[in-house]
């Protein structure tokens, strides 16, 4: 049975994200998003880095599944015993790739920008001021 655990809250104010971009290069993915810091009221850019991505999916907010993981709302969540990952592993050829790095199912719902899911090795968050 799959379970969902919140790994980290993102510092997004109640007004949500201003924009989001997704980029994928070689085997790594990055989700960058603009937001207003809820503590300082400054414009910031957040960056979520996912190394060794094997697959990803995205839904814009009006089309996202009704059963999205609530723990991922303006947060990073991890799905343990993921049904999606199990499905991928059933269909892929048996090879050494599955032993090279961890396979973790991450979910992130950025309010106003959509729902991102990735199977990746890890997730790292960084932030910077938008004007500096």
């Amino acid at each position: 049975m799959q379970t969902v655990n919140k790994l980290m809250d993102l510092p997004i104010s109640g007004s949500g994200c201003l924009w989001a971009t997704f980029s994928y290069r070689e085997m790594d993915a990055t989700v960058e998003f603009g937001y207003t810091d809820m503590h300082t009221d400054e414009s910031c850019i957040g960056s979520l880095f996912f190394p060794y991505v094997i697959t990803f999916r995205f839904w814009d907010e009006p089309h996202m599944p009704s059963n999205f993981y609530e723990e991922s709302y303006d947060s990073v969540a991890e799905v343990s015993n993921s049904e999606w990952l199990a499905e991928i592993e059933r269909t892929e050829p048996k090879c050494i790739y599955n032993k090279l790095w961890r396979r973790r199912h991450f979910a992130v719902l950025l309010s106003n920008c959509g729902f991102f899911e990735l199977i990746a090795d890890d997730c790292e968050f960084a932030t910077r001021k938008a004007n500096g």
Side-chain angles (χ1 to χ4, degrees), residues 1 19 34-35 63 80 123:
M1 180 174 165
W19 53 265
Y35 68 97
H63 299 100
S80 299
C123 177

Side-chain angles (χ1 to χ4, degrees), residues 61-88:
E61 204 161 358
H63 299 100
M64 60 187 244
S66 59
N67 61 341
F68 76 93
Y69 309 113
E70 292 179 17
E71 297 85 351
S72 70
Y73 190 86
D74 287 338
S75 301
V76 177
E78 181 175 3
V79 182
S80 299
N81 301 314
S82 165
E83 294 170 7
W84 182 36
L85 179 54
E87 178 183 336
I88 291 165

Side-chain angles (χ1 to χ4, degrees), residues 24-76:
Y24 180 76
R25 182 177 173 158
E26 295 176 7
M27 296 192 71
D28 302 328
T30 303
V31 177
E32 282 197 331
F33 54 95
Y35 68 97
T36 302
D37 186 280
M38 64 180 123
H39 301 294
T40 65
D41 208 33
E42 292 181 309
S43 293
C44 296
I45 297 173
S47 180
L48 293 167
F49 175 69
F50 299 92
Y52 299 109
V53 173
I54 64 169
T55 191
F56 54 85
R57 54 189 177 186
F58 168 78
W59 289 271
D60 66 349
E61 204 161 358
H63 299 100
M64 60 187 244
S66 59
N67 61 341
F68 76 93
Y69 309 113
E70 292 179 17
E71 297 85 351
S72 70
Y73 190 86
D74 287 338
S75 301
V76 177

Side-chain angles (χ1 to χ4, degrees), residues 85-94:
L85 179 54
E87 178 183 336
I88 291 165
E89 289 176 339
R90 278 192 303 272
T91 61
E92 72 182 1
K94 300 295 179 216

